[in-house]
Amino acid sequence: MRLDLSLRLFAFALALLLAGAAGASSLEPGWAQGPLTIRLPEGADLVIYGPRADSKIGHSLAVGDFNGDRQPDLVIGSVGCGPGACILWGREGLPREIDLASFNQGLTVLKGFGASTLAPGDINGDGLRDLIIADTFAEGGAGAVYALLRGPELAQAQTASFKIEEVADMIVYGVRPIRPFDIPGDSLGFAVAVGDVDGDSFDDLAMGAPFTMRLDRQEFQAGAVYLLFRRQEPPQCVDIVQGQQDLSIFAAKGSPDWMRVGDTLGQALAIADLNDDGVKDLIVRNPGPGEVLIFWGRGREEWPRVIDLAQVEPDASLTGIEPSIAGGGMDLTAIHPGDFNGDGSLDLLVTQLGFSQPLLFFGPWLAGTRSAEEADGVITGAKASSFFGYVSAVGNINGDGLADFLIGAPNERRVYGFLDRASWPARLDLAGEGLADLILEGASPYDSIPLPPIEVPRTLATQDLNGDGIDDILVGEPQGRGPEECFSAGRVYVVFGRRF
């Protein structure tokens, strides 16, 4: 056992040396050994720079084999003056640093939009990963969700540049704003989730539209969630106004004054099998009442066309999770399912800007209500001003098959990593010593991880980019400088998963 541990320590130390990372290693989860600290950019395995000033790449991130060559591809979204999204087609032998201004070895640029949210999935059931891109500002604030289903064809035109409308196989349009009264549009795609909620073994597409009106009451910014079931031949256009979606979930209450927010249902979404019945469930954030709503998955014919929360209760819910103090209707909550304690049931991590106290709720899940006071774990940021919880991600970053999670604190220029463990304390206070297993530290005084952009960020992800079966850590830094000291060119750091 000691010999094996010594070999593992030596191998890990060698890997850190080669990567140029600094800090002390920690092979097993637990706070007694102290956190492993990796400084960026020195400790990153891959650094990607935006093509020019104000490109602000890294606002959203996604990984998947979109062209079917069994090599993971990386999609980098932007809401700045640069490309809407860049697809780096996977291949062996990528350099450690990539400057998108000059890189020409398997790059597709998509333009004419801002990539608020990216998600991989297979929504047409052909066995290939599809790329879902949401732009909440499209059509003057109506929002649009684009589905790219022909990755192999797109990849063959490497180093090409396309407008998003030229390559999107399906476009879902939200409700447009009402002029001249400045009544906002739906902001369709504010949140997106992909997964099988009807039990047919193929992915369905859920989209949040938190500023939808309740037309029956003339109430503003009530919010809605729209669902499209898998179709072998998706339509080229889906218009929410025409009711072309398969399912609509409407919030119970909006605001009688369009200058104020209502429930803003749909600001965060997730899909996962919480009740262990073999069908994934739909999880929806409802900020106004301070709720997270859970709808059990079921056969397609069992889903109603409309769920009105003024009349219908969810199957399960979390309550007492008050809206964040972000203002302007931005709740900035994220919902992450994963088995964090290794008991075989999925748990939920709920992170939220403002209160700096992400919550852990352990499974198994039953019908009914659980309150925030019943949370199984509460994680408190080191500083009230750190923006702890502004971004977060869940994945298997240490290769043991269970879920680990990352929580960003941009004003500290840090990302904290927590590895799965069988026993969690009821409270974790980062003001103490050694409570996290992993810390990623910022690159320079000019950069932050991640500095808040205009929209809700998706600047943190955990997906397997190098194809070794272990999720890697992807950190977007939209305000980061480029290699020529270009302001806000943006950066993306990749730290390969390993036995942290």
Side-chain angles (χ1 to χ4, degrees):
M1 178 65 70
R2 290 183 178 177
L3 178 60
D4 179 63
L5 180 58
S6 298
L7 290 173
R8 291 169 66 192
L9 283 168
F10 175 79
F12 185 64
L14 180 60
L16 285 179
L17 180 62
L18 293 174
S25 65
S26 172
L27 289 175
E28 301 296 334
W31 302 291
Q33 298 153 297
L36 164 66
T37 300
I38 297 178
R39 184 166 178 78
L40 303 176
E42 298 91 342
D45 297 287
L46 174 62
V47 183
I48 303 169
Y49 299 98
R52 58 181 178 270
D54 289 323
S55 294
K56 295 182 180 179
I57 70 162
H59 180 79
S60 51
L61 300 162
V63 173
D65 179 12
F66 300 110
N67 61 350
D69 66 353
R70 301 185 181 181
Q71 293 277 357
D73 310 309
L74 172 60
V75 187
I76 303 171
S78 166
V79 294
C81 298
C86 294
I87 305 176
L88 281 169
W89 300 106
R91 64 181 180 84
E92 295 183 0
L94 282 174
R96 185 184 175 275
E97 292 191 355
I98 294 176
D99 183 355
L100 294 179
S102 56
F103 187 75
N104 59 3
Q105 303 177 39
L107 175 67
T108 296
V109 175
L110 305 177
K111 57 187 181 180
F113 69 105
S116 309
T117 307
L118 299 169
D122 180 12
I123 63 169
N124 62 348
D126 65 356
L128 296 176
R129 292 282 90 182
D130 307 319
L131 176 60
I132 311 302
I133 302 176
D135 179 1
T136 58
F137 288 159
E139 301 293 316
V145 176
Y146 308 95
L148 279 64
L149 312 179
R150 296 172 293 156
E153 296 179 28
L154 195 60
Q156 289 175 2
Q158 292 181 4
T159 70
S161 177
F162 300 96
K163 290 185 177 180
I164 187 65
E165 292 85 358
E166 296 174 347
V167 294
D169 298 283
M170 180 180 73
I171 304 177
V172 186
Y173 292 105
V175 179
R176 292 164 179 77
I178 300 175
R179 307 295 188 195
F181 303 104
D182 290 329
I183 297 174
D186 272 4
S187 288
L188 181 72
F190 197 98
V192 170
V194 180
D196 177 20
V197 299
D198 64 353
D200 67 354
S201 301
F202 297 103
D203 288 338
D204 310 304
L205 175 61
M207 300 161 288
F211 301 120
T212 297
M213 287 183 61
R214 277 207 66 131
L215 294 175
D216 58 336
R217 301 179 184 176
Q218 290 298 298
E219 292 180 345
F220 304 99
Q221 302 188 54
V225 174
Y226 304 114
L227 187 66
L228 290 176
F229 294 124
R230 187 270 305 182
R231 307 178 189 184
Q232 288 185 338
E233 297 292 338
Q236 292 184 341
C237 177
V238 176
D239 192 340
I240 297 298
V241 174
Q242 301 297 324
Q244 295 172 347
Q245 64 275 17
D246 296 305
L247 168 66
S248 302
I249 304 175
F250 294 114
K253 186 174 66 174
S255 169
D257 181 355
W258 66 268
M259 293 290 290
R260 301 180 183 180
V261 298
D263 285 353
T264 59
L265 178 78
Q267 290 202 30
L269 297 171
I271 293 177
D273 184 10
L274 295 182
N275 61 353
D276 296 324
D277 66 350
V279 182
K280 293 180 180 179
D281 312 309
L282 178 61
I283 309 160
V284 180
R285 172 63 168 150
N286 194 23
E291 301 170 328
V292 172
L293 311 179
I294 303 170
F295 301 89
W296 301 139
R298 64 202 73 181
R300 184 176 303 193
E301 67 283 352
E302 299 177 60
W303 283 99
R305 284 275 298 170
V306 175
I307 296 176
D308 185 346
L309 293 176
Q311 303 175 9
V312 178
E313 294 290 328
D315 297 297
S317 64
L318 304 176
T319 62
I321 305 174
E322 298 304 319
S324 77
I325 60 174
M330 300 294 187
D331 183 53
L332 301 182
T333 295
I335 307 166
H336 300 288
D339 184 5
F340 305 119
N341 58 2
D343 66 354
S345 295
L346 286 182
D347 315 309
L348 282 183
L349 169 70
V350 180
T351 63
Q352 186 177 27
L353 172 66
F355 298 109
S356 295
Q357 289 190 327
L359 304 176
L360 276 173
F361 296 90
F362 295 144
W365 295 82
L366 303 173
T369 298
R370 297 165 69 175
S371 72
E373 296 178 352
E374 301 174 78
D376 297 287
V378 179
I379 307 171
T380 303
K383 301 176 183 178
S385 60
S386 69
F387 277 14
F388 183 70
Y390 189 71
V391 290
S392 50
V394 165
N396 174 30
I397 63 172
N398 66 344
D400 66 354
L402 299 176
D404 316 302
F405 58 87
L406 303 166
I407 300 176
N411 280 1
E412 295 180 59
R413 297 176 25 246
R414 282 184 166 187
V415 171
Y416 293 91
F418 301 85
L419 305 183
D420 61 272
R421 64 208 70 216
S423 177
W424 289 83
R427 299 194 70 87
L428 304 179
D429 189 349
L430 291 182
E433 292 295 329
L435 293 179
D437 299 300
L438 175 68
I439 296 176
L440 304 182
E441 286 194 334
S444 76
Y446 298 103
D447 298 332
S448 61
I449 304 182
L451 194 67
I454 296 173
E455 296 183 291
V456 176
R458 319 287 180 187
T459 50
L460 196 57
T462 52
Q463 297 173 0
D464 182 13
L465 181 61
N466 62 354
D468 65 354
I470 302 175
D471 286 338
D472 307 311
I473 303 169
L474 290 78
V475 182
E477 197 173 25
Q479 300 286 346
R481 291 193 179 196
E484 302 298 327
E485 293 300 304
C486 296
F487 284 99
S488 300
R491 299 180 180 181
V492 174
Y493 305 108
V494 180
V495 176
F496 292 146
R498 63 197 75 161
R499 294 290 180 179
F500 290 114

